[in-house]
Amino acid sequence: MKNLKWKILFLLPVFMFAGDLDNIDTSFDLGDVDKPYSYKGYLKPEAYYIDDKDKYKKIKTELNFEGDYKKNLWYFKLNWSGYYINDEKDIQTFGVLNEGYVKYGDVNKNVTIGKELLKWGKGYAYSAVSFFTREKNPLYPEDLKQGYDLLHLKTISSLNSDIKNYSIDLIYMPVTDTLNSDLKKSQNFGGKLYMLYKDVDIDFMFEKSNTYADRFGGDFSFNLMTELEIHGEYAFDSDKNNSYLLGAKYASDYDYTLTCEWYKKWDNNKFLYLKVSQKDFFIDYLTAYVTGIRNYTQNINSLLIGGSYDFKNNFIFTTEFLTSTKQKYLKVSLGYYF
């Protein structure tokens, strides 16, 4: 533990050179809007010094590639990640197809088949109504990239009334030995109705399954003022369980962002989530951020302090320190984005 303290003290100045990856635009500008394709990706090696029951080092490297192609009414998308992980106990090398699907149709009506990441719900750290999506890691919600194999139909319409526009999504998600095999074998159907009522975003959704409990829910979001957004979610299932979230996000003109959420998961654990970030922290291209999570049910606390420096040449340096009831670690990474 003594060595860990010295390393933390040595690296504390680095936290001054910090930036929130949520606010960094790493997309590749092809410079020609007429091109039917686009692509981007990154190579991100990470080094960890972990202090839990044992003290050990871990190396993790991710190579991510995302590309899409559009031809008339056809649209193809691919997102793939390859990983190398060495934690002094084991070495793993594997690849994950995060998304791979084909879509046919225009903006108003289309059908998608393949592996797609659906983004239902308004929560940042957690979502009670993302019925067809894997659960986020609240410390790194932006890391969720892997979707499910499904069939997705969507239609969008506009109205000349208090309901300015609406959309309908229909989902079929089978679970077999080869499709979505990390879940129990089942046939799952669902849908979502979205409405923009005046200036309030409203969704109603459901999931029907022959194996899992049926689920129903809704969410909303609106701007109380220009800088302040309020959002919430509520869901329940046929086994009389429920899950909910209430949150707010404040984004100032000075690139200061505060996100606060109170939520209850399906396992009845209740959490308070708070994240504060500041871009251009003292000097340009530097931002610091702090994320705090408290599990009130199990009395577990987590505090993440970190940030990154954007070199503006596609390289981003990041360092973080996590202290929690169960674990502490120091992480340093240098990512190249293309």
Side-chain angles (χ1 to χ4, degrees), residues 16-288:
M16 303 298 295
F17 298 91
D20 188 353
L21 291 179
D22 293 344
N23 299 315
I24 295 174
D25 182 13
T26 58
S27 60
F28 184 78
D29 184 5
L30 293 171
D32 185 355
V33 296
D34 294 326
K35 289 184 178 180
Y37 62 87
S38 66
Y39 63 89
K40 61 180 180 179
Y42 57 84
L43 175 65
K44 186 166 62 175
E46 300 173 338
Y48 295 78
Y49 182 82
I50 301 173
D51 182 8
D52 48 21
K53 293 181 180 180
D54 300 315
K55 298 179 182 179
Y56 60 96
K57 299 175 184 177
K58 178 173 120 175
I59 302 295
K60 176 183 176 183
T61 300
E62 179 187 2
L63 172 63
N64 176 266
F65 176 83
E66 179 179 323
D68 58 39
Y69 177 80
K70 183 175 177 61
K71 180 69 173 179
N72 298 325
L73 296 179
W74 293 94
Y75 176 80
F76 304 86
K77 181 175 180 180
L78 174 71
N79 186 308
W80 179 89
S81 291
Y83 296 92
Y84 170 81
I85 302 175
N86 185 343
D87 63 1
E88 296 185 348
K89 301 175 183 178
D90 188 24
I91 297 178
Q92 301 178 61
T93 305
F94 59 93
V96 177
L97 177 63
N98 299 313
E99 289 187 285
Y101 61 79
V102 56
K103 179 186 295 185
Y104 179 79
D106 56 23
V107 175
N108 296 320
K109 294 181 181 180
N110 55 72
V111 56
T112 302
I113 185 168
K115 194 170 189 179
E116 181 185 11
L117 176 64
L118 298 178
K119 298 180 180 180
W120 291 9
K122 308 298 185 186
Y124 294 91
Y126 172 76
S127 178
V129 296
S130 292
F131 298 154
F132 298 94
T133 307
R134 302 168 198 273
E135 187 173 325
K136 302 175 184 177
N137 177 350
L139 289 174
Y140 305 102
E142 68 280 357
D143 284 354
L144 178 61
K145 296 185 287 289
Q146 186 179 2
Y148 281 122
D149 296 295
L150 47 82
L151 175 66
H152 179 191
L153 286 76
K154 187 179 187 72
T155 179
I156 303 175
S157 298
S158 299
L159 298 174
N160 186 18
S161 64
D162 287 342
I163 300 178
K164 299 177 182 179
N165 55 61
Y166 71 92
S167 66
I168 298 175
D169 294 74
L170 297 177
I171 305 295
Y172 168 60
M173 189 180 79
V175 179
T176 67
D177 291 333
T178 55
L179 298 176
N180 307 312
S181 56
D182 54 326
L183 301 174
K184 293 180 181 179
K185 288 186 178 180
S186 57
Q187 302 295 322
N188 306 280
F189 302 85
K192 177 169 72 78
L193 170 65
Y194 163 79
M195 296 182 294
L196 177 59
Y197 177 72
K198 296 184 177 180
D199 292 322
V200 181
D201 286 315
I202 302 173
D203 292 286
F204 298 99
M205 54 278 288
F206 76 94
E207 178 189 14
K208 182 77 174 177
S209 175
N210 64 348
T211 300
Y212 296 95
D214 298 336
R215 295 189 287 185
F216 308 87
D219 63 38
F220 71 89
S221 68
F222 64 91
N223 281 79
L224 196 60
M225 57 182 71
T226 304
E227 302 87 357
L228 181 61
E229 179 246 9
I230 307 296
H231 55 274
E233 303 178 4
Y234 179 80
F236 64 94
D237 66 19
S238 54
D239 290 337
K240 299 183 179 180
N241 300 306
N242 67 359
S243 178
Y244 54 78
L245 176 145
L246 181 64
K249 182 175 183 178
Y250 175 80
S252 74
D253 295 333
Y254 302 98
D255 293 319
Y256 170 81
T257 303
L258 170 65
T259 305
C260 182
E261 294 182 331
W262 167 261
Y263 58 91
K264 175 193 170 190
K265 297 172 65 173
W266 291 99
D267 60 7
N268 291 321
N269 280 272
K270 297 180 180 179
F271 296 81
L272 178 64
Y273 170 89
L274 179 67
K275 181 174 183 179
V276 181
S277 65
Q278 174 68 62
K279 288 185 66 177
D280 296 333
F281 189 61
F282 289 109
I283 62 175
D284 292 342
Y285 315 130
L286 305 159
T287 305

